[in-house]
Amino acid sequence: MPVIPYLPVYQGRPTTQRRGFPPIRIPVPPVTILMALYNGARYLPEQLDSIARQTHRNWSLLIHDDASDDTGPTIAKAFASTLRNRNIRVLRNKRRLGAAQAFLQLVRAAPSGAIAFSDQDDVWMPEKLERAMGFLNDVPAHLPALYCGRTIVTDARLQRQGLSPRFRRPPSFGNALVQNIAAGNTIVMNETAARLLRTGAEAASDVVAHDWFAYLLITGAGGQVIFDEDPHVLYRQHTQNHVGANQGPWARFDRLCAVARGQLTDWADVNVQALKAVSPLLTPENRNMLSEFECTRSLTPFRRLAALRQLRIYRQTPAANIVLRLAALAGKL
């Protein structure tokens, strides 16, 4: 496993020692890790073990079992029993909600404080939470902030296959309307962003994906998104992945076929309705962009292209922007 530098943050250790006075300690902000579990018994122990090894020590874990029929819930409860000094809870659902709704239910149930999303089958590097909190602690507390980043893509045995894409263009609401760059298994949000997402989760009845909704809402509300180019998650690829890493030419070809089938249109329909439900949370500028984007979808092909440029709606790479323009011309936006 490569050694990756990380930003040091205070972990409740003494920072100043003066004669005759007790050491001054900097409190470590709490993080609630939210994990949606569904038939994850095979790889769950390795992920739980990587959470237990985090150098950011002030964490709790909230697991939503989405009506699993394997031993995953038993494994999770056994893990909780071995760490009785931790707040680890397993919530069980009698009927399956799906990943997006399971995560939104977790957001609604989470206590106040920072939150992090966790998949059931990845492995976190020990500094993963510490790295994220180091960035988030530099953001003013009143500003919603979301940390995300690249991952190391592996096979089922954790053999390295490559890296997820490096996104060069800045995160923005104009980007979020047509693309998600915030991979859920890397997301950590400060308390203000978590509170905002909780409010949004109460208002929106349906979303494409929990991570995409978070990216849309945080940017739409004028918050800050931090994309870390250094990976701190081993993203395991296997036959049961809910969402794949989308790497390589075949993945790009699949995305082009998906656009041709109208998948981008379907996603945009759901996202627009979700954003309209939370429109009071958006900045006036982004409420206007959302309205104009919705109107743009009904224009003639070349007027759609012009409107996208005018609204500064973009995807992250030249190839992805070509796909976006083709979708606009074909009426698949």
Side-chain angles (χ1 to χ4, degrees), residues 97-321:
L97 299 177
Q101 289 299 327
F103 271 109
L104 292 189
Q105 188 158 306
L106 281 166
V107 169
R108 298 183 193 107
S112 61
I115 61 174
F117 291 144
S118 171
D119 286 353
Q120 64 189 16
D121 47 8
D122 297 327
V123 170
W124 287 3
M125 294 183 181
E127 74 285 349
K128 195 266 190 193
L129 283 181
E130 186 176 2
R131 170 82 170 187
M133 294 305 294
F135 279 109
L136 293 174
N137 288 341
D138 288 337
V139 179
H142 71 277
L143 188 68
L146 180 153
Y147 165 95
C148 59
R150 301 179 79 190
T151 59
I152 297 173
V153 181
T154 76
D155 63 15
R157 296 177 297 172
L158 296 181
Q159 298 300 306
R160 179 171 172 155
Q161 303 293 302
L163 295 176
S164 63
R166 176 188 284 117
F167 297 120
R168 302 290 193 181
R169 302 187 71 174
S172 72
F173 188 60
N175 178 221
L177 283 171
V178 292
Q179 182 183 20
N180 178 36
I181 67 168
N185 56 351
T186 70
I187 286 179
V188 184
M189 283 174 275
N190 69 1
E191 182 173 2
T192 306
R195 189 165 56 246
L196 177 68
L197 185 60
R198 187 177 301 113
T199 303
E202 295 287 354
S205 60
D206 190 21
V207 298
V208 174
H210 64 288
D211 47 7
W212 197 351
F213 183 61
Y215 181 39
L216 282 161
L217 187 55
I218 301 306
T219 55
Q224 182 172 338
V225 172
I226 302 158
F227 185 84
D228 190 354
E229 294 191 359
D230 291 331
H232 300 277
V233 173
L234 300 180
Y235 182 13
R236 193 195 307 259
Q237 298 293 288
H238 54 88
T239 56
Q240 285 79 44
N241 278 105
H242 177 68
V243 177
N246 290 325
Q247 284 193 304
W250 282 112
R252 288 191 287 271
F253 178 73
D254 284 344
R255 288 197 294 275
L256 186 59
C257 291
V259 169
R261 292 192 302 267
Q263 188 176 68
L264 188 58
T265 305
D266 296 338
W267 288 343
D269 287 341
V270 174
N271 283 338
V272 166
Q273 292 306 310
L275 288 168
K276 288 169 70 174
V278 300
S279 62
L281 303 176
L282 308 181
T283 66
E285 177 184 42
N286 287 330
R287 279 200 300 271
N288 183 63
M289 180 182 288
L290 174 63
S291 177
E292 292 193 24
F293 174 70
E294 188 176 20
C295 293
T296 293
R297 301 174 68 207
S298 62
L299 297 176
T300 59
F302 289 102
R303 290 185 67 189
R304 277 195 294 269
L305 283 180
L308 288 178
R309 286 193 295 269
Q310 184 177 1
L311 290 173
R312 296 181 181 177
I313 292 174
Y314 61 89
R315 290 169 66 94
Q316 286 287 329
T317 65
N321 275 306

Side-chain angles (χ1 to χ4, degrees), residues 9-65:
V9 296
Y10 292 117
Q11 292 289 333
R13 296 185 292 270
T15 58
T16 303
Q17 180 69 61
R18 294 173 61 193
R19 185 173 297 177
F21 292 90
I24 299 172
R25 294 181 181 271
I26 305 296
V28 184
V31 182
T32 302
I33 302 167
L34 308 179
M35 178 188 290
L37 177 64
Y38 176 69
N39 288 352
R42 181 176 181 182
Y43 302 116
L44 181 60
E46 288 177 284
Q47 173 64 328
L48 292 175
D49 184 57
S50 74
I51 290 173
R53 295 198 311 270
Q54 289 299 297
T55 56
H56 183 96
R57 304 304 301 166
N58 193 1
W59 57 264
S60 59
L61 177 60
L62 185 60
I63 299 174
H64 176 281
D65 173 54

